[in-house]
Every structure is written in structure tokens, then in C-alpha cells.
Amino acid sequence: MNLVTLLPFIVLIGAMFLMTRSAKKKQQQAAQMRDTMTPGTGIRTIGGMYATVKELGDDTVTLEVAPGVHAIYAKMAIAAVLEDDEYNRIVHGTAAPADAESPVVPDDISSLTRDGAEAPEAGQADKDAAEEPKLDLGKKDADGKGDGEGGAK
């Protein structure tokens, strides 16, 4: 047999080896991550639910999904073990300390007006909008017929 004939088979076997090797490495990393779980740790399941670990078994884990509500999950259903600050930020809404570079979002429109000018009243804005002519955004052909009208293309 010729080397050129065997080359596609060699490349195929090499690609399969590399793919299984990376998948095996990901499985080992996931198993190590699951081994770091201890009672009180915050986790995210593969379904996207956040919970706190209460008890660990051989193949199962008891999670507290809400105060006083416990559920038993397979360890394989744990997608991520979260750091305490990340878990509290996501679940409890505790914000991380604000960076000096992050923009400050105002709570109301008064801080967006210039030179202390007051914002227009809601009724005034409606009156201004009523005086402006309405734009026709319908698509029309050269002969003036719009989509859906009889004789339109």
C-alpha cells in the first residue's frame, strides 16, 4: 500500500484521538470542580437554577433552592461551583463595589436637563406631538399603490 492511500486514515485517527483527549480533560475538570463542593457552597445547575449545597452524598447532592425548600440532585447536574461573592451578587442582588470608571446612571430626568431647566410637562409633549404631521411609512410602488392593495406587485 502507498503512503498517500493511508494518509486520510491516519489524519482521521489523529483527529479522533485529539477530540477524545480534550473531552476527557473537560470531564476531569468538571469532576474536580464537583469535588470542591462543601455544605454552604453556592452552585448553578445545568438547568440554570442557583442553590446552596446542604448535604453531599456519593452520587447525589441535597440543595436548598429557597429558604426551607430542599431538593435532591445528581452530582452530574451541577454545572458550576460559584465563589461566595459571585453567588451573593447573582442570587441576593448585592452589588460589587462600584468602579471609578463605571458610568453613573441617573435615577430621574432632572439630572439630565441642562442649566437647571425643568423638564417639559407630559401634557406639553403630547400637544407638540399632535401638531406635527404624521409620516406615512408604508411602502409604495411607482404607481402609488402600497403593499396589500389591489393591483400592487
Side-chain angles (χ1 to χ4, degrees):
M1 273 196 156
N2 194 349
L3 182 62
V4 176
T5 309
L6 293 176
L7 188 62
F9 294 112
I10 293 171
V11 170
L12 183 65
I13 291 170
M16 288 174 49
F17 173 75
L18 290 176
M19 288 190 303
T20 58
R21 184 174 170 216
S22 65
K24 193 176 287 188
K25 190 179 288 187
K26 285 181 184 179
Q27 286 177 346
Q28 288 175 346
Q29 287 175 345
Q32 287 175 347
M33 180 240 351
R34 288 186 196 101
D35 289 340
T36 63
M37 284 190 300
T38 58
T41 306
I43 58 98
R44 181 181 67 240
T45 65
I46 57 175
M49 183 176 63
Y50 293 91
T52 305
V53 176
K54 283 300 179 188
E55 292 180 20
L56 292 168
D58 292 334
D59 294 330
T60 61
V61 60
T62 302
L63 303 177
E64 184 175 31
V65 295
V69 179
H70 297 82
I72 299 174
Y73 277 77
K75 278 189 178 179
M76 298 298 288
I78 307 301
V81 177
L82 305 173
E83 298 290 329
D84 287 339
D85 57 343
E86 182 181 6
Y87 178 77
N88 289 332
R89 180 182 58 81
I90 293 170
V91 175
H92 302 296
T94 56
D99 297 337
E101 297 177 13
S102 63
V104 177
V105 179
D107 291 338
D108 59 0
I109 195 168
S110 64
S111 62
L112 297 176
T113 56
R114 287 187 246 153
D115 301 329
E118 293 187 22
E121 295 178 17
Q124 182 66 28
D126 292 339
K127 290 177 188 175
D128 292 340
E131 293 174 5
E132 294 179 12
K134 301 283 184 187
L135 294 176
D136 183 16
L137 300 176
K139 192 180 198 182
K140 300 218 182 223
D141 289 340
D143 58 349
K145 295 195 178 196
D147 285 343
E149 293 181 17
K153 293 182 183 176

